[in-house]
Amino acid sequence: MRIVVCIKFVQNEMNPFDACALECALGTQGAEVILLSMSPPSAEQPLKALTRLGAHQAILLTDPAFAGSDTLATSYILSLAIKKLQPDLVLCGRQSIDGDTAQVGPCLSQMLGYSLITNVMDYSLTKCGTRYGEQQVCLPALFTIERINTLRFPRLRSKMKEVTVWNAETIGADPKKCGLSGSPTRVLSTFESVSGKRRCTFIQPNELLPLIEKLRKTSRHFEKELPVSKKLKNVWAIGKETVSHAQNLAESVTLIESTDPVEIANLAKQKRPEVILWPADLWGRKTAPQTAALLQTGLCADCTQLQTDGQKLFMYRPARGGSIMAKIECRTLPQMATVRLTEHRSDIILSYGRGADRNTLTPFAEKIGAEFGASRAAVDAGNTPYALQIGLTGKSVSPRLYIAVGISGAVQHTCAIENAEFIIAVNQDKNARIFEYADYGIVADFKDVFHQ
């Protein structure tokens, strides 16, 4: 059994989802594990250090021609290297923490002709538990791994192996399909994200329950769409969830059934649509990149806003963990984007961070009929299931009322709750960032507020 693990380094630190993929590979009995990273030369040393964990080989793909590659160009480069290695299984992290697109894995599987399972929560060869349910495939296959484990430490006397360096010539890459020249998506501009900021009114702990009852009966609507002066003639909407977004952009909308990527790609080749919108749900994040690979076109992931001048589609999405917004265009047809959807769940979500305790909060949650959520810090602490994680690397939600307890308000969390109608924050640090994104705030230790 030969397993290739795709590793991305972000500022010379391994992407945490890729670390989980690596642990899955290392835990596969009898497997020959090969590390593969497309990175600048500076990544050679951290990649070399990973060989101490038990990998049989480490390969660094690096070439000036690779610089600036988007997800399609990156998948092309990786696919050429993987074809040389001919593994039985390829493991990738679900997404990277800088790009957050989750596109490379599905796109790469299509280019390789491998079976695909995404969002793996329970790993075993050929059969995995996922966020869709249990799935089974035949090898060769590619799996994308969620944050389901912790990467082991190297043994005390383990030794590093040398890293093999491959460039464009080594893998037979066409320079025109690499880097900026081979990337159909292009970032036009970036700017600081101020989305979701609110004016916080501070209250006392004894005012919390009456406020919750008041907000249960109050509605608020946020206008998220950007103004459009001239519309596109027609936009394809994949699934009913994207129809409203398409209607804001186009004079007419064609609803396409959510089906196999090959079917959608073949239909697109026949009809030649200018724009295709996909839902940024689990199915859309898996299927849209596969279709992009089949059509050899660009795809912008997880868009929060869309705009057009009547000819081009301009796509806006969070980047760098949500701290900035990027305006992106696609230079090929069809222009494609996945549109961020939110999980509505219950009317009230009571979400806790590392600075709070679920057991203390449970009686209050039951009293107000709230479902639990959690911050990434709480999940990373190891005592909270990943399924509860709310944030850029978890899920986005839009309840009537979101109550954040002991959550500092990191960008990757606040960008996933901005569609909540009302937000109440409880934190003992009066300068916590979460208060900038809350309608109401309580500055107190959570035990003093939820002692009931």
Side-chain angles (χ1 to χ4, degrees), residues 80-100:
L80 295 177
I82 292 170
K83 287 175 182 177
K84 283 176 65 70
L85 296 168
Q86 297 185 325
D88 303 286
L89 182 64
V90 177
L91 298 182
C92 305
R94 186 248 281 187
Q95 66 184 57
S96 64
I97 58 171
D98 58 342
D100 303 306

Side-chain angles (χ1 to χ4, degrees), residues 3 10 46 60 71 132 143 196-197 200 205 211 216 221 351 380 387 407 430 435:
I3 302 177
V10 181
L60 176 63
T71 54
Y132 305 92
F143 299 165
K197 284 196 173 184
C200 185
L211 176 62
R216 284 183 189 273
H221 174 70
S351 198
D380 287 350
I407 294 175
K430 65 179 181 180
F435 290 127

Side-chain angles (χ1 to χ4, degrees), residues 133-324:
E134 190 175 274
Q135 296 184 53
Q136 188 167 354
V137 295
C138 295
L139 300 178
L142 185 149
F143 299 165
T144 69
I145 310 297
E146 295 275 6
R147 300 186 70 176
I148 57 174
N149 53 36
T150 301
L151 183 61
R152 65 191 63 189
F153 289 102
R155 293 182 179 180
L156 187 60
R157 292 183 175 85
S158 61
K159 296 181 179 180
M160 289 187 288
K161 296 180 175 69
E162 292 299 319
V163 173
T164 302
V165 179
W166 288 357
N167 59 19
E169 183 179 358
T170 309
I171 60 175
D174 181 353
K176 294 180 180 179
K177 294 184 178 181
C178 303
L180 290 174
S181 61
S183 299
T185 58
R186 185 66 55 87
V187 176
L188 298 176
S189 62
T190 59
F191 50 92
E192 182 184 0
S193 175
V194 296
S195 179
K197 284 196 173 184
R198 309 184 183 204
R199 180 173 296 179
C200 185
T201 300
F202 289 93
I203 63 172
Q204 296 301 313
N206 62 359
E207 299 178 83
L208 179 58
L209 274 175
L211 176 62
I212 291 173
E213 291 306 311
K214 174 185 174 182
L215 296 180
R216 284 183 189 273
K217 305 170 186 177
T218 308
S219 294
R220 174 192 283 178
H221 174 70
F222 294 105
E223 185 58 56
K224 296 288 291 182
E225 301 288 356
L226 292 172
V228 173
S229 57
K230 188 175 181 181
K231 293 190 174 185
L232 297 159
K233 290 183 179 180
N234 180 265
V235 168
W236 279 17
I238 308 294
K240 295 179 181 179
E241 304 92 337
T242 61
V243 168
S244 62
H245 298 278
Q247 288 174 333
N248 187 62
L249 296 168
E251 296 173 1
S252 66
V253 175
T254 301
L255 176 62
I256 304 296
E257 181 182 353
S258 300
T259 184
D260 182 84
V262 175
E263 293 183 34
I264 296 175
N266 286 340
L267 186 61
K269 289 176 182 178
Q270 295 172 16
K271 303 296 184 181
R272 298 183 179 277
E274 289 187 312
V275 173
I276 304 178
L277 299 185
W278 302 76
D281 56 10
L282 291 175
W283 177 86
R285 289 174 184 237
K286 176 182 180 180
T287 310
Q290 291 178 281
T291 308
L294 288 164
L295 296 174
Q296 287 294 290
T297 195
L299 173 67
C300 184
D302 206 26
C303 297
T304 57
Q305 293 180 320
L306 300 169
Q307 196 175 41
T308 181
D309 59 2
Q311 293 183 332
K312 295 288 295 183
L313 178 67
F314 302 110
M315 301 160 280
Y316 296 80
R317 70 176 306 271
R320 297 180 190 170
S323 60
I324 66 170

Side-chain angles (χ1 to χ4, degrees), residues 322-340:
S323 60
I324 66 170
M325 290 293 291
K327 181 181 180 181
I328 298 170
E329 69 169 357
C330 179
R331 300 181 297 154
T332 52
L333 296 178
Q335 303 166 85
M336 301 209 307
T338 61
V339 182
R340 182 185 290 186

Side-chain angles (χ1 to χ4, degrees), residues 56-79:
H56 293 69
Q57 186 179 4
I59 298 171
L60 176 63
L61 289 171
T62 189
D63 195 300
F66 300 161
S69 295
D70 69 357
T71 54
L72 187 72
T74 297
S75 300
Y76 165 71
I77 295 164
L78 289 172
S79 71

